Amino acid sequence: MAQFQLSGVRKSFDRTHVLKGIDLHIAEGEFISLVGPSGCGKSTLLRIIAGLEDQSEGSVRIGGDVVDGVRPADRNLAMVFQSYALYPHLTVYNNIAVPLRMRRLSTLQRAAVLRWLIPGTRETEDRIRSDVEDVAKLLGLKDLLQRKPAQLSGGQRQRVAVGRAIVREPRAFLLDEPLSNLDAKLRVHMRTEIAQLHRRLGATFIYVTHDQAEAMTMSDRIAVMMDGNIIQIGSPDDVYDDPQDLRVAEFIGSPKINILDGGVIDEARGLVFGSSRFAATFLERPGTSVRIGVRPEALRLANAENAPFSGRLAHKENLGAEVLLHVEIPDQRAAVIVRFDHGGAREISIGDAVGLTCSPEDLRIFGASGERIKAEVEARKVAHG
Amino acid sequence: MADVALAREIDANIAQGARPHVRLRRRRMMSMTAAVLLAPALVLMALLLIGPVLAVLLMSFTDYQLGAPTWSLVGLENYIELYGDRVFWTSLTNTLLYVAIVVPSSIALGLGLALLIESGSTLRAFYRSIFFIPVMATLIAMAISWEYMLHPQFGLINLMLKEIGLPAQAWLSDPVLALPTIAAIGIWQLFGFNMVLFLAGIVSIPSHLYEAAVMDGARSAWSRFWLVTWPMLGPVTVFVAVISAIRSFQVFDTVHVLTKGGPSKATEVLLYSMYSEGFEFFRSGLAAAIAVVFLCFVLLLTIIKARLIEKKVHYS
Ligand SMILES: Nc1ncnc2c1ncn2[C@@H]1O[C@H](COP(=O)(O)OP(=O)(O)O)[C@@H](O)[C@H]1O
Ligand SMILES: [Mg+2]
């Protein structure tokens, strides 16, 4: 187990800057997710931590030691690859045993023919066997130990890859989109399993994913990456409730946050949208035009005549446990989505005029370049907190 | 797919109670089409492959002599003669010895060079071409330049040996050295080909396997080779071994140019025996029998390859 400290990590391939200065502290035993759209540099960052790639600038410390230039095998980290990277010629048993054999047996003891003649080989192999069997039992792989990877389903291969990582005691686990090759149902199931595994092992997990739902459901903290920068880092609730950037707000949460153009800050620092005014005090110059973000579950129905947001119902998605209304508001780029619990909004049908409102504290206001504009209440909270 | 559709159509016709002669005509047309499409390939195969092999097999049971007006069947007499012929056994042993030297060496050399070229970062294309030159060169011409290089007095190799204080050798006229020397030329001619095949094999190994190996603690290139490279090259290696073995069995040009099977039969090999029986002593029947023995070895190798590739070294 170990903590990680990344300082000013940059990476360029030829002339493209993939990582543009990453500072990140990861605590011991923490489950942290690096989440962001594909191509934003998540895998590259993970590979730099693993030592599979060298950073162009900056440094990585693991457990207090600078590991720059330390080879991957000597960093004692375990990695689960997106493609699983199982050895196709080895059985499940041997795949899981590889990390133990590499560390516990000498080169001669691994040689094919004469290995059994060297003292200690048999005892070590016996210990390896019991360790591999423990892991197989934990992951439900006991009946598959003699199969080759080609004879396994995607989910089983994924388990073998996890087994190969947890069979020894590495300082941390690095997982690069381990669930993205599974079908939707299995993916949801494996989220729980991996989270439970983390609790059971108590080890540091660094988890890369482009799926915000995975990050939200499993992590202690989420680092949201865009274009080679970490633009926000915090607990799932933090990142969801208090996005520091429009891109974070739009990336985290499903259905996506509603973004409405056309808000203006007035003389009294309130927010004006059309003919309505929200009475919160925003810390921004009067006259600034802003974009208004509001989560689908924060919106409530109101009288269409005088509601701040009004439009027509274009579509209704009934998902069983929840109902999503798509309300088209004039002059807005996308339909506003409103979320109701099961049975909500029964009386509204397609084409009806719909009025929507929300409390001022549920508004997330963003400036022209996507930066968050704070409300005074929040600012005070921050100042006291 | 097309014939499935056609079959369905025929079934439909039957179901509708189509008149039987319509059905028959259709079926005949179908097999006619198949025959026409197959014909060129069949004719070529019969003409170029099966025909000659059958002719050789037949000839090996006769006492035919090249140019002779008559011949008669002699049964297994040619084979019996071979069985009792010391020179034939020498020739077979020499051929097997040659294969046993050339195949492992050219594989090891080809694989080693492929690994070196692949691990280096510059001049890959250059090395690839350089080492591939012997494969493309005409062996007869190359054999002649080897003859100059191996000349006991003026040859480059002996001059170099003298320069560093080692005794000169009679490479091609010493019965102990002659076969290994021919084998060395065989290796030189073959390893570039094997190297190219191994290079293709190495390139197709997914890089994430090496990364997994490194994360799993395979610190040295040596352990990564045994954990990933060697097993992943299994199919390529079997293929390379069989192709190399077949090509080594065919050793002839160098022997013909450099030693003519000598000194005292030290480099007598199967194809050279066949050549001298057939075209120097004109005993075509006997030469055909040697050719059949040769074909049996090649067939055996092909079967081994097919079996191995099907069974053991396929991982998917
Ligand atoms: N070895 C490489 N050479 C050149 N460009 C690379 C290399 N690896 C990654 N990149 C580039 O770096 C960017 C980030 O890649 P990556 O870290 O894999 O993104 P992510 O995992 O977030 O999808 C991509 O634009 C990719 O094309
Ligand atoms: Mg990636």
Side-chain angles (χ1 to χ4, degrees), chain A residues 13-14 16 18 36-45 53 176-177 208:
Chain A
F13 292 106
D14 298 326
T16 43
V18 173
S38 56
C40 70
K42 309 177 296 285
S43 298
T44 307
L45 183 58
E53 204 92 66
D176 191 354
E177 314 228 6
V208 161

Side-chain angles (χ1 to χ4, degrees), chain A residues 89-380:
Chain A
H89 56 285
L90 297 181
T91 58
V92 168
Y93 176 89
N94 285 321
N95 261 288
I96 299 178
V98 163
L100 300 181
R101 293 211 173 111
M102 285 297 158
R103 289 184 156 77
R104 295 184 189 168
L105 294 169
S106 67
T107 307
L108 267 183
Q109 285 176 314
R110 290 197 302 267
V113 196
L114 298 173
R115 52 193 306 233
W116 300 112
L117 299 179
I118 300 163
T121 308
R122 195 165 298 278
E123 290 75 8
T124 311
E125 277 289 347
D126 285 345
R127 269 183 288 127
I128 289 174
R129 172 167 295 278
S130 85
D131 287 356
V132 171
E133 278 169 358
D134 286 347
V135 166
K137 201 153 79 189
L138 178 68
L139 295 173
L141 291 169
K142 275 192 92 171
D143 300 329
L144 306 173
L145 284 175
Q146 295 315 315
R147 294 220 198 148
K148 297 270 177 76
Q151 299 164 297
L152 301 177
S153 71
Q156 291 167 334
R157 279 181 218 177
Q158 204 271 336
R159 277 164 203 271
V160 178
V162 169
R164 190 172 61 177
I166 66 176
V167 71
R168 63 195 167 92
E169 272 148 36
R171 296 203 283 183
F173 295 91
L174 314 179
L175 302 97
D176 191 354
E177 314 228 6
L179 306 185
S180 62
N181 288 334
L182 303 180
D183 60 57
K185 210 170 156 188
L186 196 53
R187 200 151 58 212
V188 172
H189 174 71
M190 287 306 294
R191 287 205 304 238
T192 316
E193 284 207 4
I194 290 184
Q196 281 168 346
L197 195 65
H198 169 247
R199 254 170 303 201
R200 188 189 173 109
L201 300 173
T204 313
F205 273 52
I206 307 177
Y207 188 100
V208 161
T209 178
H210 68 271
D211 181 347
Q212 57 91 25
E214 282 176 23
M216 292 291 285
T217 47
M218 297 191 283
S219 323
D220 296 324
R221 279 196 308 157
I222 296 178
V224 184
M225 287 183 70
M226 300 271 168
D227 291 333
N229 291 305
I230 292 182
I231 52 176
Q232 187 170 356
I233 182 160
S235 70
D237 283 342
D238 254 6
V239 175
Y240 186 81
D241 290 336
D242 195 17
Q244 298 304 308
D245 192 292
L246 184 60
R247 290 172 293 171
V248 177
E250 289 195 295
F251 192 79
I252 302 291
S254 170
K256 230 169 84 171
I257 192 169
N258 298 300
I259 301 294
L260 295 131
D261 292 329
V264 181
I265 304 289
D266 69 4
E267 290 302 326
R269 302 269 171 101
L271 171 69
V272 176
F273 179 80
S275 55
S276 309
R277 182 173 187 279
F278 291 94
T281 311
F282 291 98
L283 305 176
E284 185 59 61
R285 271 186 303 112
T288 314
S289 54
V290 297
R291 312 181 75 185
I292 303 168
V294 52
R295 296 270 178 206
E297 67 275 14
L299 288 164
R300 292 187 311 273
L301 291 175
N303 187 346
E305 310 286 272
N306 50 19
F309 315 110
S310 60
R312 288 195 179 277
L313 184 65
H315 181 56
K316 205 168 171 180
E317 272 181 284
N318 188 348
L319 301 174
E322 56 184 18
V323 182
L324 302 178
L325 303 188
H326 295 233
V327 180
E328 268 171 7
I329 294 179
D331 303 330
Q332 296 300 332
R333 271 176 269 184
V336 164
I337 297 185
V338 192
R339 183 190 168 283
F340 290 95
D341 286 334
H342 175 71
R346 276 223 175 111
E347 65 289 355
I348 307 175
S349 40
I350 309 278
D352 287 358
V354 179
L356 297 170
T357 186
C358 68
S359 335
E361 60 265 27
D362 286 331
L363 294 172
R364 304 288 176 264
I365 307 298
F366 300 94
S369 51
E371 79 285 4
R372 173 76 179 278
I373 295 168
K374 290 275 184 181
E376 200 178 45
V377 214
E378 297 169 53
R380 220 182 292 133

Side-chain angles (χ1 to χ4, degrees), chain B residues 210-278:
Chain B
Y210 289 104
E211 293 176 348
V214 164
M215 295 304 293
D216 284 344
R219 282 183 179 75
S220 59
W222 174 256
S223 51
R224 284 194 295 279
F225 175 79
W226 289 112
L227 182 60
V228 178
T229 315
W230 180 246
M232 293 306 287
L233 285 179
V236 176
T237 309
V238 170
F239 181 76
V240 166
V242 171
I243 294 286
S244 302
I246 290 176
R247 290 186 61 166
S248 311
F249 260 102
Q250 296 169 339
V251 55
F252 174 77
D253 318 35
T254 39
V255 172
H256 184 56
V257 172
L258 297 176
T259 62
K260 303 249 183 280
S264 55
K265 306 287 178 213
T267 59
E268 183 83 20
V269 289
L270 269 188
L271 283 200
Y272 191 77
S273 306
M274 184 186 86
Y275 169 80
S276 45
E277 288 297 345

